[in-house]
Amino acid sequence: MKHKLLVSMVSSVLALTFGVANANDKGAPAHWGYEGKTGPAKWGALDEANSACKLSKEQSPIDIIDSKTKKAALPALDFKYVAGSAEVINNGHTIQLNLPAGSSMKVGSDEANLLQFHFHTPSEEKINGKTYPLVAHFVHKNADGKLFVVAALFKTGKENAALAPVFSALPAEGKPNTLASFDPAAVLPENRAYYKFMGSLTTPPCSDGVRWHVLKQPVELSKAQLAAFKKMYPMNARPVQPLNGRVVEVSE
Ligand SMILES: [Zn+2]
């Protein structure tokens, strides 16, 4: 026991010091990050549970090339988001807002509950080869456990009032903030035209079967807000993945 504890302590110290993979014997997920030995190119090898990161043929994010998209009569994204409390956490990979039950999204015959949203900088999605400075991923789950993610891209401009209470007090790891009233709908752009494709989680274990909806119209945040996020997470975006024949549909 003592030996195991020591090994675990040493490996934790190493992980903290060098950011190396924390191969432990407790079955906990392997450490991962965005560069070097635990970066995206290594995710699939860090842990057997991450095999989809290297084997799946429908990985996210992707570069959406407008000329290669297929126009389609996609059902409208019907956001049934409500204001309520929100827990703002720093999970060591991003800042995430955990939301209470009550907000959902309806798309055609599919309805899924909003669980959380979080940020990546720069945007993981590229549009015609270009990244945006930030993206928010709204993660929804339906009754069958299927995930539906909505991506809202950000460009710099005026301050984002809805996110001001989040970006003005970004939490440290293990020290969540609680917002008494937060309206997730206020983060979405006015125009709800979107790109749709099948993809995956963009972080380990990279599970596929995730339906993606990338909103075409970006929203704004100030340079100061972006700088506050980047101070905590200078880069937390997975590189774009091959399409492997997938078709990206776009609202008509
Ligand atoms: Zn994400």
Side-chain angles (χ1 to χ4, degrees):
M1 277 306 275
K2 255 187 182 168
H3 177 67
K4 271 196 179 171
L5 183 65
L6 184 67
V7 168
S8 151
M9 281 170 69
V10 169
S11 68
S12 297
V13 170
L14 283 175
L16 283 171
T17 314
F18 303 110
V20 298
N22 184 11
N24 58 43
D25 55 0
K26 299 189 196 100
H31 263 294
W32 56 271
Y34 286 98
E35 53 185 21
K37 288 182 175 162
T38 58
K42 311 279 194 229
W43 289 352
L46 288 176
D47 193 320
E48 254 177 63
N50 299 350
S51 62
C53 301
K54 57 180 176 185
L55 298 177
S56 152
K57 298 291 181 209
E58 53 170 40
Q59 289 287 286
S60 292
I62 60 168
D63 184 1
I64 297 167
I65 309 288
D66 268 317
S67 61
K68 293 182 181 167
T69 59
K70 186 180 154 211
K71 283 193 174 159
L74 299 177
L77 300 179
D78 185 5
F79 293 98
K80 299 173 183 298
Y81 289 180
V82 294
S85 64
E87 186 192 34
V88 188
I89 65 161
N90 180 334
N91 64 15
H93 302 292
T94 188
I95 299 295
Q96 178 169 309
L97 276 80
N98 292 328
L99 303 162
S103 290
S104 65
M105 173 181 75
K106 219 176 161 206
V107 196
S109 57
D110 292 307
E111 185 152 17
N113 294 317
L114 177 64
L115 304 178
Q116 50 101 338
F117 74 95
H118 60 264
F119 303 94
H120 301 270
T121 186
S123 71
E124 297 196 303
E125 301 75 11
K126 287 185 177 181
I127 309 289
N128 301 317
K130 279 185 62 178
T131 55
Y132 284 77
L134 187 83
V135 68
H137 288 159
F138 292 79
V139 180
H140 309 75
K141 196 186 236 183
N142 76 2
D144 299 328
K146 197 176 160 194
L147 294 177
F148 297 77
V149 182
V150 172
L153 300 159
F154 287 75
K155 60 180 183 181
T156 51
K158 60 178 187 293
E159 187 190 56
N160 189 305
L163 290 173
V166 178
F167 284 94
S168 65
L170 292 169
E173 272 188 80
K175 303 212 184 276
N177 293 338
T178 301
L179 303 177
S181 183
F182 180 84
D183 182 6
V187 184
L188 299 169
E190 218 171 295
N191 189 307
R192 305 287 165 78
Y194 65 102
Y195 301 101
K196 177 192 154 196
F197 52 92
M198 289 307 294
S200 70
L201 300 180
T202 66
T203 55
C206 309
S207 320
D208 54 22
V210 177
R211 204 167 84 195
W212 280 84
H213 314 75
V214 177
L215 292 161
K216 293 182 80 175
Q217 186 182 43
V219 293
E220 294 185 18
L221 88 168
S222 68
K223 283 186 176 159
Q225 288 180 311
L226 179 65
F229 185 84
K230 278 190 171 289
K231 200 172 165 191
M232 206 157 252
Y233 289 105
M235 199 291 282
N236 65 340
R238 187 188 196 191
V240 291
Q241 303 295 306
L243 264 183
N244 294 317
R246 278 176 287 172
V247 174
V248 176
E249 293 182 304
V250 60
S251 309
E252 277 177 324

